[in-house]
Amino acid sequence: MSIIRQREKGNAPTRTWGASETVPDVEWKAAANPERKRVIPKLEDMSMNLLAKHVEALSSLHGVPDVLRNKLCNVLCDSRKMDSHFMELLSSGSPTEIRLKDCSWLAEEQFSKIMEGCDTNNLTVLQLDLCGHCLPDYVLRPTLAKSPNSLPALSSISLRGACRLTDGGIKALVASALSLCSVNLAACPLLSSTSIEYMADALGSVLKELYLDEILNPLFLTDKSLKAVGEKCPALQTLHLANLHKLTDLSLGYLTKGCRLIHTLKLRGNAFSDEAVAAFLEVSGEPLTEFSLNKVKKVGRHTAISLANCSKNLLSLDLSWCRSLTDSALGLIVDGCSKLKIVKLFGCTQITSKFVNGHSNSCVQIVGLQLTPILQHLNTLGHQEAALRYSSVPVHTESEYL
């Protein structure tokens, strides 16, 4: 915060700007005739769509690499063609990865029957999103959390939308998988602060990804909870904290002190101040490759200056609904962060052609300003955007961001 105050003193006397006054803008000059790139569809994506159309003819996935299994799963979930037949193919034998981003169709009985025949000793990634219907505590324990260390290889798990899962289920799950590096518990309304404190204690420096978006229980995440994360999870690399309205600027301070390796941070819908976000970036902005300030309405010129100066490795930036950012502020960001591949600006009605036609970053894709088909942008960061992106050797290729 002292950095931000000193910067303000260097520009103008520090004071509060009245509603009728114009806050001074950042300095930026639009470029003339910048180049633009075209995006070409992938043949692989077209092939996955064809396989999904005839998925009922598949009798086995033996020998199919995980990456192709996962892509086919995503196409089937998106087209609402995922069923128990294909899930049985996924779980047969001793799989290493099971990724389903939509389990809303799956019943308790189906899940229990399928998992009975699954050897989980080699399972490293388990994604069962929207599993509220099929995975209460009494189903979780006999199928996945059978005993301590019953999931010895599991490093990543996503149970987003597990609306019947409680703190007791999380405790049993963590005791069964002490090698967890990535945990997604977004939209799990029955959880409390007990779950996050238990995970911080049990997983400690092992935990590298944590997704806690859309937690409806008001007792779950406060500044105190983020203090526990900052103190006990120094290796954290990815953190999602969307729409957690009890968090204040103190949480950013705790993360700055204890989590210096974060490269993916999503703060969508929170009430952090422009000065606090800017100060965080001044200290911890260099490792960031993906950053979301979607609906963080207070961000403005301080955040813009810090992004441009301190976040040179950014590949993806979401500033949707940040209406205090001007053309000049966005131009400064996009020109200063030369590695940017995508900037999302949905709801930014204040932005004009001065920025769109004036920035000099020829590689960046601007999404959300015009009435273009929205579906083509849903998987802009690749098929694993929502969760489970951690690997022992993190690699982000250009194709993941286009």
Side-chain angles (χ1 to χ4, degrees), residues 57-72:
L58 293 177
S59 59
S60 173
L61 294 176
H62 179 70
V64 178
D66 285 333
V67 64
L68 295 181
R69 289 186 181 208
N70 299 333
K71 288 184 177 181
L72 183 54

Side-chain angles (χ1 to χ4, degrees), residues 38 72 78 182 214 219 372:
R38 291 182 58 210
L72 183 54
D78 289 341
S182 175
E214 310 291 347
L219 298 178
T372 52

